[in-house]
Amino acid sequence: MVVLLFAMVCGLYIFSFCINQTNRDNNPLKIQVIDRRRNWHCRTAQIQEWDIPYVHFPEPQTFSRQECSCNPVRFFVIVSMQRSGSGWFETLLNSHINLSSNGEIMGAQDRRRNVSAILKTLDQVYNLDWLSSASKNECTAAVGFKWMLNQGLMAHHEAITDYFNRRGVYVIFLFRRNLLRRLVSVLANVFDKNSKPLNGTHKSHVHSQHEAQVLAKYKPTLNATVLVSHLRAADQAVAKALEYFKSTRHIVIYYEDIVRNSTKLTEVQEFLKLPQRNLTSLQVQIHSGPLAKQIENWEVVRKTLKGTSYENFLHADHKL
């Protein structure tokens, strides 16, 4: 009788344990069903079936969207390299009343120390819980930020690509065609960061012609020994980024094309399914005119690049 009683108690314990495990395993399925039905009342006939993965109705933890709760939001990211016009481009986008781009948020090491930290930051941005000066009081129709290639993006590209595809993130690639001009801007920015000629203040971007003229006075000396390899490395980084994220919904634009053709901004707004607006920026270009007037050792640079695949950089975009 004692053995039989002991066996019955053990049997009841095992049965109850299995029931608990089954219920626990079912919870994610229930959550998924709820998530799929959430905000279903917000969907309209204007949202096509194929577009549903790219249309979102976030429910932020830090505030209530209230009358904007049924306003669809699209997620985007500006993928670029330092000194490629991304700051100017972002101010243009942020002049749109329904768009919020939150800056270079992955610049902080703790936000990209590993994949988990990166995905947590992405969730915070796309849930509209990332509060910055770019946050809009109007109903947001698109939210994102800019992400440099050297800020964990390339190192964890597989997990990030999966996230972008799973969450329906629009990727805007922004690069410079003339990598030599970009290099001049990079070196000048490093000089400004160290010397601070504008009243002891470092400014990566300026808003007056006077400030631009002060910063443009510095003419960097380029290391001819590593110049070609440096340009090749930048070129390869761009090609690798385009290859890594080719499965995402993306658009590729170049700084020079935006400067010459304002309709490129129309293409970006169409890509993000935004109502068309006239986009403006208060930023002023620092380096303009021929490169010969911006590089200290111009003749050395010219001879170094002559006959290479980068020779066209010497004379291209002289009107920029």
Side-chain angles (χ1 to χ4, degrees), residues 106-126:
M106 290 297 183
Q109 288 283 348
D110 62 314
R111 296 170 190 160
R112 53 183 168 95
R113 63 182 180 274
N114 52 43
V115 173
S116 297
I118 289 174
L119 300 186
K120 181 180 178 181
T121 302
L122 293 176
D123 283 341
Q124 193 174 355
V125 172
Y126 295 133

Side-chain angles (χ1 to χ4, degrees), residues 79 112 114-115 118-119 122 147-166 171 173 237 239-248:
V79 174
R112 53 183 168 95
N114 52 43
V115 173
I118 289 174
L119 300 186
L122 293 176
W147 200 346
M148 303 295 109
L149 298 186
N150 61 352
Q151 294 174 346
L153 182 65
M154 304 291 278
H156 306 287
H157 65 92
E158 292 181 348
I160 295 169
T161 298
D162 178 70
Y163 182 95
F164 285 169
N165 287 328
R166 180 165 44 86
V171 180
F173 290 105
K240 192 176 290 185
L242 295 176
E243 176 64 24
Y244 282 168
F245 299 98
K246 65 181 181 181
S247 65
T248 63

Side-chain angles (χ1 to χ4, degrees), residues 231-268:
L231 296 175
R232 185 183 299 115
D235 204 9
Q236 291 173 347
V238 171
K240 192 176 290 185
L242 295 176
E243 176 64 24
Y244 282 168
F245 299 98
K246 65 181 181 181
S247 65
T248 63
R249 176 174 284 196
H250 64 270
I251 185 175
V252 182
I253 56 177
Y254 293 91
Y255 167 78
E256 291 86 349
D257 296 342
I258 301 175
V259 172
R260 292 197 190 98
N261 187 358
S262 60
T263 60
K264 286 295 177 182
L265 295 175
T266 301
E267 292 180 21
V268 174

